[in-house]
Amino acid sequence: MTVNNTHAITPQLIADHGINDEEYARILELTGREPTFTELGIWSAMWNEHCSYKSSKKWLKTLPTDGPRVVYGPGENAGVVDIGDGDVVVFKMESHNHPSFIEPYQGAATGVGGILRDVFTMGARPIAAMNALRFGAPDHEKTRHLVAGVVAGIGGYGNSFGVPTVGGEVNFHPRYNGNILVNAFAAGIARGDAIYISKAEGVGLPVVYLGAKTGRDGVGGATMASAEFDDSIDEKRPTVQVGDPFTEKCLLEACLELMATGAVIAIQDMGAAGLTCSAVEMGARGDLGIRLNLDDVPAREDSMTAYEMMLSESQERMLMVLRPEKEQEAKTIFVKWGLDFAVVGETTDDLRFRIQHQGQEVADLPIKELGDEAPEYDRPWVEPGTYSQQSPHLFAPPDDYNHALLKLLGSPNLSSRRWVWEQYDTMIQGNTLQLPGGDAGVVRVDGHATKALAFSSDVTPRYVEADPYEGGKQAVAECYRNLIATGSEPLAATDNLNFGNPEKPEIMGQFVAAVRGIGEACSSLGMPIVSGNVSLYNETNGEAILPTPTIGGVGLIDDQEKMARIGSADDRDVLFLIGTEGTHLARSIYQYEILEEESGPAPAVDLLMEKTRGDFVLAAIRSGYASACHDISDGGLAVALAEMCIASGIGATCTIDITYAHAALFGEDQSRYIIAVDDQWADMFAANSEGSGVSFARIGVVGGDRLVINEFVDLSVKDMKDAHEAWFPNFMGAGTVAQAAE
């Protein structure tokens, strides 16, 4: 064996690759010698946090991942869930946080491109996208620029590729000033008997490079994503990838056409760590070796080194193990679509990862150890502290309830996101049934007369900060309620766990407690985690983001004619509160915006109650009782009623039981919904509610052009809508993303 070793391996170089002393000692043991520069880069790529999950793996294993509908859980490019009639939904959520802060347009755009590839790599045609975005304080000097760039990047890529963006979140908090979050979700539909995975099988088979050419963009991106930010952030700009959605669209069509020929044995997206990660994962999962010749890799730049080629994260690329007899047929397909197709290696039986470049062997490493033996840390952690429950009387009531409600409706975290989602194509493909702005996006399943899928993304970071365990539970419960509120049966979830530095015991404690809460909620609510992503080291100069474990959920609607909407209530409909009077004001939007405080405990989530009420609401919608439905979350009952009025354009007159008015109106107690019922069915619905044992109250009637709640609130629908719609356009100072970015 000859291994080229022309680059001195120094302690500083090792540290620059994110490898500590213990890890390097293990690398020396496994390599059997000092690694080459290229090998050091490969070890760094495979063993960094972003690719290996070395700080989180222990805890991720505790999450529920199985269920009667689960076809593939975590470990593949995306999760796969059965939706009946031989079809499956394929979905996943991933982060592109660090790249989006450094270069917001390309960072967000390539985040969308990467998650779409995860879905269609498995043989699914993408049908829906979402994004969960967290930005710093609105008055921070970078926030407006980052919002404009991220929104433009998401729209620029998703719109050009041709997938509807049907939901998501946008939130602001000073703790994201130095480290924004961009979590991208995609879902696709495939036949259950035509799913493709990354496990290579067979010796001596061609390994084929597909898609766009390799450049220097993104070199070291995975390592950069596994480190904290500091004042040298601008030096990391070259590690951000550049995307081309039109090439990706061609890659989608070529891959699906190729899969239909039966030529594909295994296929893997080149995402984080590019050619390195895709090749190692394919070989390691199949107990095979891989030999690559980099001279055959299509390159768009001259004189690229082996190190650069192996660690490039250039976009729109795939790696495939091909049936040899299908090679010419496969090549013809990719040439037709204007894409590169090159045999760059073969599978072997020696369990080695061998790299040739310019006539020299520049890497010879044990592939199983690269892929399967990354360090797995049991990081020190401390149990997060909790707060004692607080009585509503400890929180000051507003001087003017009308003013308080208008301020909440027009606040950065509750105002309409129309300015954002109107930059996205929400209707492309022609299957969108519910636009963003409701509880969940809904998309018709093409080829089925009645079937649809609902999608929601949720987490309340201020709850997780106060109590990671309850906050983790609440993230799942909120996602569950949003799916239920459309009339969909929650099927499964994906997670995107965004936290600070896991080497700090208090941060690791947040992670452990949040995962515990997520696991309990997923088990209780029947929403197994089938895919996901962990994003750690979200800190700048030592200040961590709010802990943000985003949950993306998918629900099934059997009959779209019985789907519920937030704004479909009619005159004379009777409004019912499912749940109890509001009491919890700690960590609420009311506390944050009106009292300008952040303190106290998160609201508790009773999972048995959550499931019982959810089952009842779903049955009510599917039985045709609900003309409209909305879950109660941020801002409490008053904001939920206002949002329903704004969405329908019709007012409501409500009389509710009140102990403490501000808590009843703005409390964020969990497991609650508002249902509008046709007046002719209201008595029967009340009787059914009584018989079910679910807490409920008849609280009002739909009609008029004002929202009236007892003697406390009396506002016109127009004034509420004006307040709700004004903040985002005023903040961005322009009607379009392009103008705001200038």
Side-chain angles (χ1 to χ4, degrees), residues 63-74 79-83 88 91 489-493 522-531:
L63 292 170
T65 58
D66 295 323
R69 290 183 178 269
V70 176
V71 179
Y72 285 104
V80 182
V81 175
D82 184 10
I83 59 171
V88 294
F91 63 97
E489 172 198 354
L491 299 181
C522 287
S523 294
S524 297
L525 302 177
M527 292 177 64
I529 299 289
V530 298
S531 59

Side-chain angles (χ1 to χ4, degrees), residues 59 379-386 466-470 504-517:
W59 304 104
R379 301 268 190 206
W381 60 279
V382 294
E383 189 72 42
T386 57
D467 187 331
Y469 170 68
E470 289 293 342
K504 297 179 179 178
E506 65 275 16
I507 299 294
M508 198 64 213
Q510 289 178 339
F511 183 89
V512 171
V515 168
R516 186 166 68 238

Side-chain angles (χ1 to χ4, degrees), residues 415-704:
S415 61
S416 169
R417 271 62 180 129
R418 183 184 304 276
W419 184 92
V420 174
W421 60 258
E422 282 188 343
Q423 315 300 332
Y424 308 147
D425 193 331
T426 58
M427 298 298 292
I428 197 166
Q429 299 185 12
N431 290 319
T432 303
L433 297 176
Q434 290 203 33
L435 294 174
D439 288 289
V442 181
V443 174
R444 180 189 298 108
V445 177
D446 212 10
H448 292 271
T450 62
K451 189 178 294 185
L453 291 168
F455 305 99
S456 185
S457 166
D458 298 283
V459 65
T460 309
R462 63 184 186 276
Y463 295 170
V464 188
E465 172 86 348
D467 187 331
Y469 170 68
E470 289 293 342
K473 286 163 59 180
Q474 194 275 340
V476 178
E478 172 75 5
C479 186
Y480 170 84
R481 283 197 303 276
N482 281 328
L483 296 174
I484 289 285
T486 65
S488 70
E489 172 198 354
L491 299 181
T494 181
D495 59 12
N496 204 145
L497 308 178
N498 308 274
F499 289 81
N501 184 346
E503 297 170 46
K504 297 179 179 178
E506 65 275 16
I507 299 294
M508 198 64 213
Q510 289 178 339
F511 183 89
V512 171
V515 168
R516 186 166 68 238
I518 289 168
E520 288 186 19
C522 287
S523 294
S524 297
L525 302 177
M527 292 177 64
I529 299 289
V530 298
S531 59
N533 172 249
V534 177
S535 176
L536 302 176
Y537 295 96
N538 288 290
E539 298 197 5
T540 298
N541 292 325
E543 182 176 32
I545 61 165
L546 291 176
T548 311
T550 310
I551 302 296
V554 177
L556 176 65
I557 297 173
D558 289 326
D559 184 356
Q560 59 188 261
E561 294 298 319
K562 294 180 179 177
M563 174 181 63
R565 301 174 184 268
I566 182 178
S568 52
D570 295 318
D571 273 319
R572 295 186 298 280
D573 280 354
V574 178
L575 295 172
F576 286 87
L577 166 65
I578 305 301
T580 55
E581 179 185 350
T583 63
H584 194 94
L585 288 170
R587 302 289 169 163
S588 66
I589 286 286
Y590 172 83
Q591 184 195 38
Y592 185 69
E593 290 291 345
I594 306 301
L595 304 183
E596 298 182 352
E597 300 171 0
E598 287 184 273
S599 64
V605 180
D606 183 325
L607 293 171
L608 178 59
M609 185 182 297
E610 192 75 63
K611 184 69 165 64
T612 301
R613 291 177 182 172
D615 286 345
F616 174 80
V617 172
L618 181 58
I621 294 171
R622 291 187 165 183
S623 298
Y625 277 119
S627 57
C629 184
H630 188 26
D631 91 302
I632 299 174
S633 56
D634 286 350
L637 176 64
V639 168
L641 286 167
E643 288 172 341
M644 293 182 78
C645 292
I646 292 168
S648 67
I650 308 173
T653 301
C654 300
T655 303
I656 61 176
D657 292 332
I658 285 179
T659 304
Y660 295 98
H662 58 322
L665 294 181
F666 305 121
E668 295 181 7
D669 305 65
Q670 299 297 293
S671 313
R672 301 192 298 159
Y673 303 80
I674 301 170
I675 295 181
V677 179
D678 190 295
D679 60 343
Q680 66 176 318
W681 304 114
D683 290 341
M684 185 177 295
F685 179 78
N688 287 342
S689 302
E690 189 76 41
S692 73
V694 170
S695 299
F696 78 101
R698 189 187 300 226
I699 62 170
V701 177
V702 175

Side-chain angles (χ1 to χ4, degrees), residues 70-81 89-94 114-124 185-188 195-198 267-269 285 493-494 529-532:
V70 176
V71 179
Y72 285 104
E76 287 300 331
N77 284 295
V80 182
V81 175
V89 58
V90 180
F91 63 97
K92 189 181 183 182
M93 180 177 278
E94 279 205 344
I115 200 66
L116 289 169
R117 286 195 303 280
D118 281 336
V119 167
F120 71 75
T121 300
M122 299 195 72
F185 170 99
I195 293 295
Y196 291 85
I197 59 176
S198 58
I267 188 166
Q268 178 75 19
D269 162 43
R285 288 175 182 173
T494 181
I529 299 289
V530 298
S531 59

Side-chain angles (χ1 to χ4, degrees), residues 203-279:
V203 176
L205 299 179
V207 175
V208 183
Y209 175 111
L210 308 168
K213 289 179 168 58
T214 294
R216 291 187 172 93
D217 50 324
V219 172
T223 300
M224 179 267 290
S226 303
E228 296 179 39
F229 281 156
D230 55 28
D231 292 332
S232 67
I233 184 172
D234 286 338
E235 298 173 12
K236 298 180 172 68
R237 193 171 301 274
T239 64
V240 177
Q241 311 94 319
V242 177
D244 179 353
F246 301 105
T247 297
E248 178 125 330
K249 174 63 172 174
C250 293
L251 183 61
L252 161 70
E253 300 299 341
C255 283
L256 295 184
E257 186 175 341
L258 177 65
M259 289 167 177
T261 70
V264 178
I265 294 175
I267 188 166
Q268 178 75 19
D269 162 43
M270 287 194 218
L275 189 56
T276 289
C277 194
S278 56

